[in-house]
Amino acid sequence: MSTANPTPPVSPASRERTLHLVGNAHIDPVWLWRWPEGLQEIRATFRSAVDRMEEYPDFVFTCDSVMYLEWIERHDPELFEEIRKRVAEGRWQIVGGWWIEPDCNIPSGESFVRQALYGQRYLIEKFGTAATVGCNLDPFGHNATIPQLLRGAGMDGYVFLRPGPHEQVLPGQFFHWEAPDGSRVIAYRLPNEYCTPGKDIGNHIDKSLAMMPPDEPELMVFYGVGNHGGGPTKANLDSIARLDALGGLPRMEQSHPEKFLARVRDRDDIPVHTGELQHHGPGCYSAHSGVKAWNRRAENDLQRAEKWAAVAAAVADETYPADQLTEAWKLVLFNQFHDILAGTSIRSAYEDARDDYGRARSIAAEVFNRAVQAIARRVDIPLREETVPLVVFNPHPWALESDVEFEYAQATAVRLTDETGAPVPVQLTRSESTMQGSRGRLAFRAEVPPLGLRVYHLLPGADRSGESPVRATGTTLENEHLRLTVDPATGWLSSLRDKATGAELIPERPGAHAVVVDDAGDTWGHRVRAYDRAIGTFTPRRVRLVESGPVRAVLRVESAYGTSTMAEEIVLSAGARQIEVRTVVDWHERLKLLKLRFPTALTDVTATHEIPYGHLERTPDGTEEPTQAWVDVTGALPGGTRAGLAVLNDSKHGHDVLGGEIGMTALRSPVYAWHEPKILDEDGVYDYLDQGRQEFRYVLLPHGADWRAADPVRRAAELNQPPFALLETFHSGPIAQRASWADDGAGGVVVSVVKGGEDGDFVVRGYESQGRPTTVRVALPMLGEQRCVEAEFGAHEIKTFRVPRDPASPVAETDLLERPLTAPDGAIPGPAARPGPAGT
């Protein structure tokens, strides 16, 4: 037995320990104020930081949110030049590398790419270097893909605050954070807070040290007045000098995150955390339905516009409108700021957000329409008397089969053929116009090639498609694949049968569908785990068949709760393997929540949620979770058959799964910008969220034993980027009436982006969507019949490729900033070369 003395523990107050003090000013450009006030505070804070550097030679200031620097460059160029000098000295440190501190759950995967693309490229252009440490101090949870997104943009570190230790146990104060694809960054959870009062910070340091390991030799604490800005004050800096001179605390050093991480990143005892960082404020996933919908639509409009602008540049000699698209993306990225997109700002701030999103969508619409008009006028459409050509555009690089609706100048019955003259079923549906005989709306099921177009032809005369392939009664719908029954007593499905397998997905006694939940929590949903305190349901008033024809049939369910009403139109189309539900709610409840529930007969389920550029399995225990455009339950039916149901959405993010039941939070009605512990006055006058008319769509997608075969990723993309129909005229041209310009093969790799490159040529981005390594061949006939991208993808991997216009030039893989990869074997690039900050 050894008699050697054990190594004595390190004293928490040991001067051998280093406390890295990071002077910063977390600034919310919008929250309890609107952006003009935020802009002024950014100017004042940055001026204060520069002034403090004159007075305190060892002071180092750390800044994130690249957009703030662009604002200063635009509004105060003299201050911007002073900042540039301090950056060159190493005393003004830039972290984050993203355009703003966004909500880190709700934006799409591509939005996170653009946060870095525009942020990091701006830093390289203006300061000659990019950030190496990601920084999202204030957002309310962090999705699991972020480590891969950071590494792909040249960052290998991450600093955050939430969730706190009471919300998620993590393996250490700092740890390797690993994404599903295996990418890692070293992450550090701040203790206590990211900001301090403007006076002595001794109490802040005491609290922070009490939350950290007592024997860790390297520690990091942020300080400085924040939220409304301010930054480190003279009193802050004087108190640091005083506290350090007393000698009873670890040695204090004016520092910055990169300097701290340089001291610890090469240690071999750093633990690993895999997966997301959740939960904080689950109400944020659903607060303010309007801003969630504006954001989703703007993201999709911009990606659609980019794809067609790239095609038009390649095949129609159009100039790619890079500046317009960048302007629009920056508007979207700014409004993804966590206190805007999370729904937690004051009411008037959403007037600004609405206008910004509207401007971004208007730019996207202009770019898209210029592109498709340029392409359409080059389609070879010979004159055919008494016909009207209709060009349908598919925005996805895979073959599309989908219903298409369009308004038509005649309300009379018409026939429809494809480009070969073969008849295509068509039916009249409800028009947006109510003028008798002047306008009509038509619906038909289109089949369009990948990222391509197809010309259909309208002819006079009645459609003679014969018996409808969708059989309908006042309570049932049935096509080749599915049969459903609506129970008039509940207003929801009492049966949903997959005819291929005979599987019945609905239990014998399904629970309620449209459930009203008591929601007494604040706007954030602080301290909430689940929205499960049901206090009522919408009661059905009427179920009726409102449309039936050769294309589809529609059941309309009308219901009410209190003074609120809801109409859900259940649409089953010929040949469809899914059910679309079009929902309109006129909501007048306060401190309540509307949860749409989808009960199934499944047991022993696996719950899979879409996250930005990926998916994640979560425990089906009823916890409110952040989800992108789909959530799935797969499990066992009575008798042992394996089956599943995916619910797809066009604008909703809060979901839960409890056993085999999916819940989708449709609306929340807390008070605007209400933060506990504030208690609402009984006779107070308040503005409540989500009052009035709300519209959204969702899809029910039944499937067999594996959700991958049903491909909810692509089906959700089709719901969010539907086909576009354009009435045309006759003209000659080089483009055939059925054409395709990009095709990803509809396998495991989904191509989400085809765009003009930031440095010219074209860029293609895709991600592996099924959690399995695979290979892909992306055909790009827009650049020549033989042009393609061929690559291997690891499970969950995101890859970007630069495709030169010249077919003789090779395709090159890039990082997310569209820089060439320098790492061997196509590995994700590491951080860019780090600057030499002061003191290193």
Side-chain angles (χ1 to χ4, degrees), residues 357-369:
Y357 277 117
R359 184 179 172 192
R361 294 189 68 197
S362 179
I363 292 171
E366 179 185 346
V367 169
F368 171 73
N369 277 280

Side-chain angles (χ1 to χ4, degrees), residues 281-484:
C284 293
Y285 313 150
S286 303
H288 203 298
S289 291
V291 76
K292 306 293 196 290
W294 303 335
N295 180 74
R296 179 80 70 85
R297 290 164 189 162
E299 291 173 327
N300 281 280
D301 286 355
L302 282 168
Q303 287 179 252
R304 181 184 71 164
E306 287 178 335
K307 284 181 274 192
W308 284 106
V311 173
V315 306
D317 297 321
E318 290 288 307
T319 300
Y320 187 81
D323 290 345
Q324 280 184 282
L325 290 165
T326 298
E327 177 190 356
W329 268 112
K330 287 180 177 180
L331 289 167
V332 171
L333 300 181
F334 168 66
N335 284 283
Q336 290 174 346
F337 179 72
H338 50 270
D339 278 316
I340 301 175
L341 188 52
T344 55
S345 290
I346 56 174
R347 182 196 56 77
S348 58
Y350 290 100
E351 297 176 12
D352 300 327
R354 175 203 61 205
D355 294 346
D356 278 353
Y357 277 117
R359 184 179 172 192
R361 294 189 68 197
S362 179
I363 292 171
E366 179 185 346
V367 169
F368 171 73
N369 277 280
R370 188 164 65 241
V372 296
Q373 298 274 357
I375 294 166
R377 71 172 181 263
R378 288 170 169 81
V379 177
D380 188 24
I381 310 177
L383 175 64
R384 293 173 61 186
E385 295 291 345
E386 297 187 318
T387 69
V388 176
L390 179 76
V391 186
V392 179
F393 293 85
N394 171 13
H396 305 287
W398 58 83
L400 176 71
E401 183 179 357
S402 176
D403 285 6
V404 171
E405 295 184 24
F406 62 99
E407 295 285 324
Y408 187 50
Q410 300 176 22
T412 57
V414 297
R415 294 185 293 122
L416 188 71
T417 72
D418 65 14
E419 78 283 4
T420 70
V424 176
V426 63
Q427 73 184 55
L428 284 168
T429 186
R430 186 171 61 244
S431 173
E432 291 188 67
S433 169
T434 54
M435 292 183 64
Q436 176 112 16
S438 64
R439 193 79 173 166
R441 189 173 184 86
L442 297 171
F444 71 99
R445 195 143 184 95
E447 296 181 23
V448 191
L451 194 58
L453 62 79
R454 190 174 185 186
V455 179
Y456 292 85
H457 298 268
L458 292 159
L459 297 82
D463 182 277
R464 294 183 175 83
S465 300
E467 183 180 350
S468 172
V470 182
R471 292 177 290 282
T473 71
T475 57
T476 66
L477 300 176
E478 182 177 1
N479 70 1
E480 308 96 303
H481 307 295
L482 301 172
R483 188 182 192 280
L484 66 87

Side-chain angles (χ1 to χ4, degrees), residues 271-287:
V272 177
H273 171 76
T274 301
E276 57 192 341
L277 303 174
Q278 307 290 8
H279 301 82
H280 181 91
C284 293
Y285 313 150
S286 303

Side-chain angles (χ1 to χ4, degrees), residues 32 54 100 116 199 201 237 308 335 342 365 467 488 490 508 522 529 537 551 553 567 578 584 615 665 718 794 828:
L32 307 180
E54 292 290 342
I100 202 80
K199 299 181 180 179
I201 66 169
L237 293 163
W308 284 106
N335 284 283
E467 183 180 350
T490 65
E508 288 187 14
D522 66 9
R529 183 193 68 86
T537 62
V551 177
Q578 62 190 42
V584 177
H615 65 270
T665 301
E718 293 164 3
I828 295 174

Side-chain angles (χ1 to χ4, degrees), residues 59 110 197 252 306 341-342 361 379 428-429 458 557 581-582 652 657 668 690 696 708 713 756:
F59 170 55
E110 188 56 27
M252 297 184 187
E306 287 178 335
L341 188 52
R361 294 189 68 197
V379 177
L428 284 168
T429 186
L458 292 159
V557 181
V581 184
R582 303 176 178 184
K652 302 303 173 185
V657 177
R668 284 192 69 221
D690 283 357
F696 54 93
R708 295 166 181 82
V713 178

Side-chain angles (χ1 to χ4, degrees), residues 737-758:
Q737 292 188 41
R738 183 173 183 147
S740 172
W741 289 290
D743 186 349
D744 68 9
V749 172
V750 174
V751 168
S752 56
V753 171
V754 178
K755 65 184 282 285
E758 300 298 308

Side-chain angles (χ1 to χ4, degrees), residues 652-698:
K652 302 303 173 185
H653 292 270
H655 291 76
D656 68 74
V657 177
L658 181 60
E661 180 175 282
I662 296 172
M664 179 173 71
T665 301
L667 303 168
R668 284 192 69 221
S669 53
V671 170
Y672 277 90
W674 168 32
H675 196 302
E676 56 128 41
K678 165 67 178 177
I679 303 298
L680 299 179
D681 298 329
E682 288 188 10
D683 60 349
V685 178
Y686 302 109
D687 290 322
Y688 293 82
L689 276 74
D690 283 357
Q691 301 297 292
R693 183 183 175 90
Q694 313 282 334
E695 294 185 48
F696 54 93
R697 298 187 180 196
Y698 61 89

